[in-house]
Amino acid sequence: CPASPAAPLAFTMLQLTRVYRGSSMFRGNASLNGQLSHVLDEHNVTQVLPLEPPDAWARRQNEVITYLKNFRQLVQLFNKERPTNFTQHLCCHLGCRLFPNGTAQSFYEVTLNRTAFLSFHVPNATWERRWPGELPVAAFAQEQLMKYPITTQDLQYFLNTTCVSILQAQSARTGKVSGRSRAPLVLGLILGSLALLGMALGIFLCTGGSS
């Protein structure tokens, strides 16, 4: 639904992954200020809003497809080592909000099988476990994600700076120009962070949570 003038502006991305017996199914979307901007359906990713020109978007599509293929191959590899007969659902939800008073709020949340799994604490650039009780999978995922700048400092910069600047441009009614110039950086950072997150969590999903 379109955002009302009194509501915060928002840019959000959602990636849903279903893993079963070595097979991965993907879907997701992105929205800018309440308007659908991108759609992911298996290996098909579509740009609904013209945030990037055709040549730049073609390169972005290839990056998305490459990431999904790598994730799928990783799932298949680990399923051969430790087959599982149950379904796992991974959801990554991230983005930022800009409120009418000028303050901003950013977030990155991960759920596993509809239960809070991990979250990214933006001010300190740290990953935190949300799973209730002790779980080796959550602890190991947190440890791995904290090792790489792309899922800490780079992600913090995207959420605090790049993402918010897009919304500020929208608020100032100059979103078309600013949005085009920043879109490659936005999608590039997000795809990079999601790729590493997918690689790390793919191991755990396909080994049934073994440490």
Side-chain angles (χ1 to χ4, degrees):
C1 299
S4 66
L9 304 180
F11 179 72
T12 60
M13 293 190 71
L14 179 71
Q15 179 186 347
L16 305 173
T17 304
R18 176 179 179 269
V19 178
Y20 178 68
R21 289 187 174 182
S23 298
S24 305
M25 298 178 63
F26 308 103
R27 59 191 179 93
N29 60 69
S31 62
L32 176 61
N33 193 21
Q35 186 174 2
L36 187 67
S37 60
H38 300 83
V39 174
L40 171 65
D41 184 8
E42 283 300 317
H43 279 192
N44 299 317
V45 58
T46 305
Q47 179 180 232
V48 180
L49 294 180
L51 298 181
E52 294 185 280
D55 56 341
W57 175 240
R59 292 191 296 270
R60 197 71 55 203
Q61 282 181 305
N62 289 332
E63 292 175 4
V64 175
I65 292 173
T66 298
Y67 153 57
L68 295 175
K69 286 183 177 178
N70 289 339
F71 181 90
R72 180 162 286 167
Q73 290 173 357
L74 188 69
V75 168
Q76 293 171 346
L77 173 65
F78 280 91
N79 186 70
K80 291 180 180 179
E81 295 295 328
R82 297 190 182 186
T84 57
N85 295 319
F86 53 89
T87 302
Q88 301 272 23
H89 294 274
L90 174 69
C91 174
C92 300
H93 183 221
L94 63 156
C96 63
R97 304 180 183 95
L98 180 65
F99 296 89
N101 63 2
T103 61
Q105 179 187 47
S106 303
F107 63 93
Y108 195 134
E109 303 163 345
V110 183
T111 62
L112 179 61
N113 297 331
R114 298 184 179 180
T115 300
F117 187 63
L118 295 169
S119 66
F120 185 68
H121 189 253
V122 180
N124 296 332
T126 56
W127 287 93
E128 301 176 347
R129 281 174 278 172
R130 296 300 182 191
W131 191 272
E134 295 295 327
L135 183 69
V137 174
F140 190 63
Q142 177 191 34
E143 178 184 354
Q144 292 299 310
L145 290 171
M146 286 300 298
K147 289 182 178 180
Y148 305 97
I150 197 170
T151 59
T152 52
Q153 292 96 333
D154 289 1
L155 183 57
Q156 180 191 48
Y157 181 85
F158 163 74
L159 293 172
N160 268 345
T161 305
T162 309
C163 184
V164 174
S165 69
I166 294 175
L167 298 181
Q168 290 172 337
Q170 286 289 113
S171 179
R173 298 175 182 263
T174 58
K176 289 186 177 180
V177 175
S178 298
R180 289 178 186 274
S181 64
R182 291 184 173 91
L185 176 60
V186 170
L187 294 179
L189 286 176
I190 284 297
L191 290 174
S193 59
L194 285 178
L196 187 54
L197 181 60
M199 289 292 186
L201 295 185
I203 298 174
F204 319 131
L205 293 173
C206 299
T207 56
S210 300
S211 57

